[in-house]
Amino acid sequence: MKKLGLTIFFILILLLSFKALADVYEGYRLHIDDVLSISVWGHPDLQREVLIRPDGKISFPLIGEVEAQGVTIKELNEVITEKLGQYIKDPQVDITLKKYRGLQVLVMGEVKNPGTYKLTLGGRVLDALSSAGGPTDLADMQNVRLTREEESFLLDLEEVLTGRDLEYNYQLEIGDVLYIPRSTVEVTILGEVKQQGVYELKRGVRLSDLIARAGGLLDSAERKAVHTSGPETKSIDLDKIFAGGSDSNPILKDGDTVYINKATYQVTVMGAVNKPGSYPWFEGLTLAEVIAQAGNVVEMGNMEAINIVSRDGSVASYNLKDYIEDG
């Protein structure tokens, strides 16, 4: 019983394969150098193998020359049947494609091996792409162009490759041209990075990708980036990006510019001074100097207990009065 079930399964697969092949042949348009076997039931003297000549025509007894290039086998059958009807009552014509020139298509653009490829009858877009070695890393698979004689089609092969939508995996015809464009943007990064310059990157990259391509930030870099895209300029917190925040990590567009400023470190003086506020920090800056920049301590200020709060939150207390009096 199990063996019978397997037999039926393989028969069904075979039938489906024959049906798929029949569908391909039904839609195939004949070309120069194709060879056809033509017979008429009950008339063995009319059985012929004919070649489609360079002028696109074939010759057949009784009816002479017939245009064959560019028509399907079904359409040619109808024409021959109609013409033979003038000499034979209800002719039953059978046409079989014995040899075909081959499905030649040209694949250009961002593929690993551009060129002309010969595919089997019924070959589709993905077959041509595979024959050309597949797309390069810079290929724009969402805007692939298929040109067929005077017509042109835009194909989104990104959906096809992911298996979400096979609509654009068109069946190809002889002479089709498949062009895969480059999907890149040119962006500029300047300032405190290891390798400033203009970079060509794959479309869809983010600001963090550009910084990585530029070798990363210098130690002197500010933790903010100035991002100019078209007429809009934004300041972006790099710490949020490096922490994995994709919302603040913009996708770059063609022509964008990123500038990383040199960091300006500051200290903030608060409390009983004449000019509370933030002041530039520099190597060797002393407590007395920064208080002097803040206008010195007011009359009621306590010079004996000045607290310094570091970035890590630690607190240290200093007696500036002793320093002033005793040096």
Side-chain angles (χ1 to χ4, degrees), residues 104-125:
Q104 287 190 323
V105 296
L106 177 61
V107 186
M108 303 172 62
E110 288 299 315
V111 290
K112 293 174 182 175
N113 300 299
T116 301
Y117 291 91
K118 187 173 182 179
L119 307 178
T120 57
L121 191 60
R124 295 183 176 271
V125 169

Side-chain angles (χ1 to χ4, degrees), residues 35-106:
V35 177
L36 305 172
S37 175
I38 305 176
S39 60
V40 182
W41 189 81
H43 297 271
D45 55 319
L46 294 180
Q47 184 169 343
R48 294 285 190 282
E49 273 197 7
V50 297
L51 172 72
I52 300 179
R53 305 192 305 260
D55 62 0
K57 296 179 180 180
I58 61 171
S59 295
F60 197 73
L62 300 179
I63 62 176
E65 294 188 342
V66 180
E67 187 70 42
Q69 184 183 11
V71 301
T72 65
I73 291 177
K74 182 180 179 182
E75 291 168 342
L76 181 62
N77 193 309
E78 291 172 353
V79 171
I80 292 177
T81 298
E82 182 182 351
K83 290 181 177 293
L84 283 176
Q86 302 173 31
Y87 307 98
I88 300 172
K89 185 178 180 181
D90 297 328
Q92 302 296 311
V93 179
D94 181 66
I95 303 177
T96 303
L97 180 63
K98 297 289 288 185
K99 295 179 183 177
Y100 66 96
R101 189 178 68 179
L103 180 59
Q104 287 190 323
V105 296
L106 177 61

Side-chain angles (χ1 to χ4, degrees), residues 224-297:
K224 291 186 182 296
V226 179
H227 175 214
T228 301
S229 183
E232 189 176 14
T233 298
K234 287 184 177 180
S235 178
I236 297 173
D237 188 334
L238 295 180
D239 285 330
K240 288 184 178 179
I241 290 178
F242 298 146
S246 60
D247 292 342
S248 56
N249 192 8
I251 293 175
L252 300 176
K253 298 178 182 177
D254 193 45
D256 282 7
T257 299
V258 176
Y259 184 78
I260 312 291
N261 278 307
K262 195 167 187 176
T264 302
Y265 296 104
Q266 295 180 322
V267 292
T268 302
V269 183
M270 303 171 62
V273 291
N274 287 299
K275 293 188 297 182
S278 295
Y279 296 90
W281 174 89
F282 53 86
E283 192 73 38
L285 178 67
T286 66
L287 176 59
E289 288 170 336
V290 77
I291 289 178
Q293 290 185 62
N296 293 314
V297 179

